[in-house]
Amino acid sequence: MTYIGRRGLLAGAAGLLAATGAAGPARAARAVVRGRGARRDAAAEFRAMWIASVENVDWPSESGLDAEAQRDELKGLLDTAVARRLNAVILQVRPAADSMWPGAREPWSQWLTGEQGEDPGWDPLGTAVAEAHARGLELHAWFNPYRVANHTDPDRLAEGHPARRNPDWTVPYNGKLYYNPGLPEVRAFVQEAMLDAVSRYEVDGVHWDDYFYPYPAAGKYFDDDDAYARHGGGFASRADWRRANTDTLVREMSERIRSVRPAARFGISPFAVWRNSDRDPLGSPTQAGVETYDDLYADTRKWVREGWIDYIVPQVYWQIGHPTADYAKIVPWWAQTVAGTRVDLYVGEALYRCDADSSTAAWRDPAELSRHLTFARELTEVRGHVYFSAKQVVADPNGAMARVVADHYPTAVPPR
């Protein structure tokens, strides 16, 4: 296995490939433009960065900083987004069945204070929305539906945590604890937990990443036997049932976001390979060791074709010419997938891989990422790019981000 995914940074999860080969009237006007089903101005594009909070990947830089320091760091990241001529940020506010806003249905995130459930003394999400909008940035709230903890001990969760009150909702797997996607009561709860934030704050988007059922781990078994026995009748296989569970979560959440905050857009950032073409003629010309349809039970292509989401950001974290997952083949596949739909395609870019010390020659070249944007501009369906992650946008270790800005972002533009 060759490590390629950002998710190894995010709590050690698997993003792996088998390498077998401003406020006021103007803001109100923008809300109308970005309403669901509307097409944005052709001159605009989505330019965003992910701000990961789990394990303090991007923000806060460490747990336990005081409120003023946390706030200043967040504002600094937003200022950097503006300086890089980005127009949106995707902030992780529910990294692991926890919260970064007061009065939530789950405890305060441990990544703020170091202790799950401890009040940090301020409102991170509320502040982020206000400060982003003041800078002309969109704020998309990034939630993880099913991850509970990066360990398997419920007693380590905050007192009163829903997973402690309902231990039958959880499944330990590969050293981590997950809510069971096969339980209707779990699906209802996680939606309510996320919609609590959506109803309180004027977020511009609701964003999920690639975690649905966990990435497969050799020799490990995700024990949802009881849930399958109770709820899997009528399905030809457990795999079909699991995919139906994920489909239902996506469809229901889409409908509820429309009801709670119609102007907010719903987007998902999956691992970039739906299926390999040697398994399915509709799949991409890749030889990936992970396929979302078969391994994560996430039918990402279906969500686009059904119009359940407003945008998709496949994590195309490989270079142009990669032998088994070529950027120049995957992006056109996604462009073809969204063609004829009202779903916007943004490409997830691996800025974190751009490093002068990379073992891969392409990622040592500061021009690699710029070439991605040059290539993608030939595809009318590609409407923007999202960079992982914020700390690399700030540090830009080999100058790749500066090259992107110089070559492709000469002026600020509104998001689409």
XYZ file of all heavy atoms in Angstrom, residues 213-261:
400
model
N -19.048 4.500 6.100
C -18.493 3.305 6.726
C -16.968 3.471 6.698
O -16.412 4.083 5.783
C -18.929 2.051 5.971
C -20.342 1.620 6.294
C -21.426 2.167 5.607
C -20.590 0.687 7.294
C -22.728 1.790 5.917
C -21.885 0.299 7.605
C -22.956 0.856 6.917
O -24.239 0.486 7.226
N -16.275 2.936 7.712
C -14.832 3.194 7.779
C -14.061 2.509 6.656
O -14.502 1.506 6.089
C -14.443 2.621 9.148
C -15.506 1.630 9.483
C -16.771 2.163 8.867
N -12.895 3.075 6.371
C -12.002 2.450 5.403
C -11.668 1.032 5.872
O -11.461 0.798 7.063
C -10.719 3.261 5.267
C -10.836 4.445 4.339
C -11.379 5.639 4.774
C -10.389 4.351 3.018
C -11.488 6.730 3.924
C -10.488 5.432 2.156
C -11.037 6.622 2.617
O -11.147 7.700 1.766
N -11.598 0.080 4.948
C -11.326 -1.305 5.349
C -9.914 -1.472 5.885
O -8.963 -0.869 5.380
C -11.518 -2.088 4.044
C -11.318 -1.095 2.954
C -11.797 0.217 3.488
N -9.803 -2.291 6.918
C -8.509 -2.616 7.507
C -8.341 -4.126 7.490
O -9.261 -4.861 7.878
C -8.426 -2.095 8.935
N -7.213 -4.587 7.047
C -6.976 -6.025 6.903
C -7.173 -6.743 8.236
O -6.647 -6.327 9.272
C -5.561 -6.266 6.384
N -7.958 -7.805 8.186
C -8.164 -8.627 9.365
C -9.137 -8.066 10.377
O -9.313 -8.651 11.451
N -9.787 -6.950 10.076
C -10.731 -6.327 11.003
C -12.156 -6.511 10.487
O -12.402 -6.526 9.284
C -10.430 -4.839 11.171
C -9.007 -4.526 11.599
C -8.684 -5.091 12.983
C -7.280 -4.710 13.402
N -6.927 -5.257 14.738
N -13.095 -6.605 11.439
C -14.493 -6.857 11.079
C -15.377 -5.781 11.697
O -15.344 -5.550 12.911
C -14.932 -8.229 11.589
C -16.360 -8.589 11.250
C -16.757 -8.763 9.930
C -17.307 -8.747 12.259
C -18.068 -9.089 9.618
C -18.621 -9.085 11.958
C -18.995 -9.257 10.631
O -20.276 -9.569 10.334
N -16.141 -5.106 10.845
C -17.099 -4.116 11.325
C -18.375 -4.864 11.706
O -19.137 -5.310 10.847
C -17.375 -3.073 10.238
C -18.186 -1.895 10.724
C -17.568 -0.831 11.359
C -19.559 -1.862 10.543
C -18.305 0.260 11.814
C -20.313 -0.787 10.995
C -19.677 0.278 11.631
N -18.607 -4.996 12.998
C -19.658 -5.881 13.505
C -21.003 -5.156 13.559
O -21.381 -4.572 14.576
C -19.275 -6.410 14.886
C -20.269 -7.455 15.392
O -21.237 -7.756 14.667
O -20.078 -7.955 16.515
N -21.704 -5.205 12.438
C -23.075 -4.679 12.407
C -24.079 -5.812 12.202
O -25.146 -5.621 11.611
C -23.228 -3.608 11.327
C -22.822 -4.078 9.931
O -22.427 -5.251 9.782
O -22.909 -3.264 8.979
N -23.735 -6.985 12.728
C -24.577 -8.169 12.538
C -25.997 -7.958 13.070
O -26.984 -8.289 12.392
C -23.964 -9.389 13.233
C -22.690 -9.870 12.563
O -22.322 -9.313 11.507
O -22.051 -10.796 13.115
N -26.105 -7.433 14.295
C -27.435 -7.267 14.881
C -28.269 -6.275 14.086
O -29.469 -6.507 13.844
C -27.317 -6.778 16.334
C -26.792 -7.861 17.266
O -26.795 -9.044 16.853
O -26.370 -7.533 18.388
N -27.668 -5.182 13.673
C -28.403 -4.189 12.885
C -28.841 -4.775 11.552
O -29.963 -4.526 11.084
C -27.537 -2.947 12.662
N -27.967 -5.557 10.935
C -28.326 -6.172 9.659
C -29.453 -7.175 9.841
O -30.380 -7.249 9.019
C -27.088 -6.847 9.077
C -27.307 -7.477 7.717
C -27.921 -6.776 6.688
C -26.876 -8.779 7.467
C -28.103 -7.365 5.429
C -27.042 -9.368 6.227
C -27.667 -8.650 5.211
O -27.852 -9.222 3.983
N -29.419 -7.940 10.933
C -30.488 -8.909 11.193
C -31.832 -8.204 11.380
O -32.874 -8.697 10.945
C -30.145 -9.746 12.426
N -31.793 -7.032 12.020
C -33.038 -6.302 12.291
C -33.537 -5.491 11.103
O -34.746 -5.353 10.910
C -32.838 -5.374 13.487
C -32.916 -6.064 14.838
C -32.848 -5.054 15.963
N -31.493 -4.578 16.193
C -31.182 -3.439 16.782
N -32.146 -2.613 17.157
N -29.924 -3.109 16.980
N -32.603 -4.939 10.323
C -33.009 -3.950 9.313
C -32.599 -4.309 7.893
O -32.916 -3.560 6.967
C -32.408 -2.580 9.663
C -32.765 -2.093 11.027
N -34.043 -1.708 11.371
C -31.994 -1.932 12.149
C -34.059 -1.312 12.633
N -32.846 -1.450 13.127
N -31.927 -5.439 7.709
C -31.403 -5.750 6.384
C -32.297 -6.607 5.520
O -31.912 -6.963 4.400
N -33.493 -6.931 6.001
C -34.393 -7.744 5.196
C -34.758 -7.057 3.895
O -34.956 -5.849 3.840
N -34.834 -7.822 2.833
C -35.213 -7.272 1.541
C -34.034 -6.847 0.692
O -34.223 -6.459 -0.476
N -32.834 -6.898 1.230
C -31.645 -6.548 0.456
C -30.932 -7.818 0.022
O -30.871 -8.803 0.766
C -30.702 -5.669 1.279
C -31.245 -4.293 1.524
C -31.976 -4.020 2.674
C -31.047 -3.275 0.602
C -32.488 -2.763 2.907
C -31.557 -2.010 0.823
C -32.281 -1.745 1.975
N -30.372 -7.784 -1.174
C -29.713 -8.968 -1.714
C -28.421 -9.284 -0.987
O -27.983 -10.443 -0.968
C -29.435 -8.765 -3.201
N -27.808 -8.278 -0.384
C -26.533 -8.491 0.290
C -26.346 -7.442 1.374
O -27.024 -6.408 1.388
C -25.376 -8.405 -0.703
O -25.242 -7.073 -1.182
N -25.418 -7.706 2.276
C -25.099 -6.713 3.293
C -24.526 -5.451 2.640
O -24.785 -4.343 3.092
C -24.110 -7.273 4.308
C -23.900 -6.337 5.494
C -22.959 -6.907 6.539
N -23.365 -8.223 7.003
C -23.277 -8.632 8.255
N -22.814 -7.817 9.196
N -23.635 -9.858 8.593
N -23.768 -5.628 1.584
C -23.196 -4.464 0.902
C -24.300 -3.568 0.354
O -24.232 -2.329 0.469
C -22.267 -4.912 -0.217
N -25.320 -4.161 -0.253
C -26.438 -3.361 -0.763
C -27.146 -2.630 0.374
O -27.553 -1.473 0.231
C -27.438 -4.252 -1.501
C -26.940 -4.702 -2.859
O -25.949 -4.124 -3.355
O -27.541 -5.638 -3.433
N -27.313 -3.307 1.484
C -27.959 -2.685 2.644
C -27.132 -1.524 3.166
O -27.661 -0.448 3.454
C -28.154 -3.750 3.731
C -28.592 -3.240 5.063
C -29.809 -2.730 5.396
C -27.800 -3.218 6.262
N -29.835 -2.385 6.732
C -28.619 -2.680 7.287
C -26.496 -3.605 6.570
C -28.148 -2.509 8.595
C -26.032 -3.452 7.866
C -26.863 -2.900 8.866
N -25.828 -1.723 3.275
C -24.972 -0.640 3.760
C -25.032 0.565 2.816
O -25.107 1.709 3.268
C -23.536 -1.135 3.917
C -23.324 -2.059 5.113
C -21.889 -2.558 5.164
N -21.602 -3.305 6.393
C -20.448 -3.917 6.640
N -19.467 -3.862 5.735
N -20.267 -4.561 7.774
N -24.971 0.313 1.523
C -25.068 1.440 0.582
C -26.406 2.152 0.713
O -26.475 3.390 0.640
C -24.854 0.939 -0.848
C -23.397 0.864 -1.251
C -23.244 0.551 -2.727
N -23.658 -0.809 -3.028
C -22.859 -1.870 -2.953
N -21.602 -1.725 -2.566
N -23.307 -3.066 -3.247
N -27.462 1.387 0.921
C -28.776 2.005 1.096
C -28.805 2.871 2.355
O -29.444 3.936 2.376
C -29.864 0.935 1.154
N -28.128 2.418 3.411
C -28.061 3.223 4.634
C -27.389 4.569 4.365
O -27.849 5.624 4.830
C -27.281 2.476 5.721
C -27.984 1.230 6.197
O -29.209 1.134 6.146
N -27.217 0.260 6.666
N -26.285 4.531 3.625
C -25.566 5.772 3.323
C -26.379 6.643 2.380
O -26.456 7.869 2.556
C -24.183 5.457 2.722
O -23.525 4.462 3.511
C -23.327 6.708 2.676
N -26.992 6.035 1.379
C -27.863 6.790 0.480
C -28.960 7.515 1.259
O -29.261 8.690 0.997
C -28.539 5.851 -0.526
C -27.618 5.379 -1.628
O -26.500 5.921 -1.757
O -28.026 4.457 -2.368
N -29.560 6.812 2.199
C -30.662 7.399 2.961
C -30.176 8.582 3.784
O -30.856 9.621 3.872
C -31.315 6.342 3.864
O -31.792 5.266 3.058
C -32.473 6.934 4.653
N -29.001 8.448 4.400
C -28.448 9.565 5.165
C -28.265 10.788 4.274
O -28.646 11.907 4.640
C -27.116 9.164 5.783
C -26.417 10.277 6.564
C -27.107 10.506 7.906
C -24.934 9.967 6.761
N -27.694 10.592 3.099
C -27.436 11.718 2.188
C -28.742 12.335 1.718
O -28.922 13.557 1.750
C -26.586 11.240 0.995
C -26.456 12.349 -0.057
C -25.204 10.793 1.469
N -29.677 11.501 1.288
C -30.947 12.022 0.772
C -31.731 12.754 1.847
O -32.237 13.868 1.623
C -31.777 10.876 0.195
C -33.155 11.298 -0.297
C -33.914 10.120 -0.895
N -33.899 8.942 -0.055
C -34.674 8.771 1.018
N -35.519 9.729 1.393
N -34.603 7.659 1.726
N -31.824 12.159 3.036
C -32.578 12.808 4.111
C -31.931 14.114 4.537
O -32.618 15.119 4.769
C -32.701 11.862 5.304
C -33.626 10.686 5.065
C -33.726 9.760 6.276
O -32.906 9.882 7.216
O -34.637 8.902 6.273
N -30.605 14.121 4.647
C -29.925 15.350 5.059
C -30.122 16.434 4.017
O -30.337 17.609 4.354
C -28.446 15.069 5.284
C -27.704 16.203 5.945
S -28.227 16.460 7.668
C -27.126 17.803 8.137
N -30.068 16.072 2.768
C -30.299 17.041 1.702
C -31.672 17.690 1.832
O -31.817 18.921 1.764
C -30.179 16.345 0.343
O -30.446 17.242 -0.714
N -32.670 16.863 2.057
C -34.031 17.388 2.189
C -34.164 18.282 3.412
O -34.832 19.329 3.369
C -35.020 16.215 2.279
C -35.115 15.402 0.993
C -35.870 14.095 1.180
O -36.201 13.750 2.354
O -36.125 13.408 0.169
N -33.512 17.906 4.491
C -33.662 18.678 5.733
C -32.890 19.991 5.672
O -33.341 21.003 6.222
C -33.226 17.816 6.913
C -34.106 16.569 7.080
C -33.770 15.787 8.312
N -34.235 16.474 9.517
C -34.078 15.993 10.744
N -33.467 14.833 10.929
N -34.522 16.663 11.783
N -31.751 20.006 5.012
C -31.040 21.273 4.831
C -31.891 22.235 4.024
O -31.987 23.430 4.338
C -29.681 21.050 4.147
C -28.745 20.260 5.060
C -29.032 22.397 3.785
C -27.499 19.751 4.350
N -32.542 21.724 2.982
C -33.425 22.574 2.168
C -34.517 23.213 3.027
O -34.914 24.350 2.809
C -34.065 21.756 1.058
C -33.158 21.448 -0.113
C -33.922 20.710 -1.214
N -33.149 20.658 -2.442
C -32.339 19.680 -2.787
N -32.183 18.657 -1.961
N -31.674 19.702 -3.926
N -34.992 22.458 3.999
C -36.060 22.957 4.859
C -35.541 23.941 5.898
O -36.172 24.970 6.160
C -36.749 21.774 5.555
O -37.704 22.207 6.486
N -34.382 23.630 6.492
C -33.868 24.434 7.602
C -33.191 25.701 7.116
O -33.378 26.782 7.680
C -32.899 23.589 8.454
C -32.147 24.451 9.467
C -33.655 22.472 9.157
N -32.377 25.592 6.077
C -31.644 26.757 5.560
C -31.525 26.619 4.044
O -30.516 26.134 3.514
C -30.270 26.870 6.216
C -29.559 28.193 5.894
C -28.345 28.434 6.768
N -28.681 28.575 8.178
C -29.180 29.690 8.734
N -29.433 30.740 7.981
N -29.445 29.721 10.029
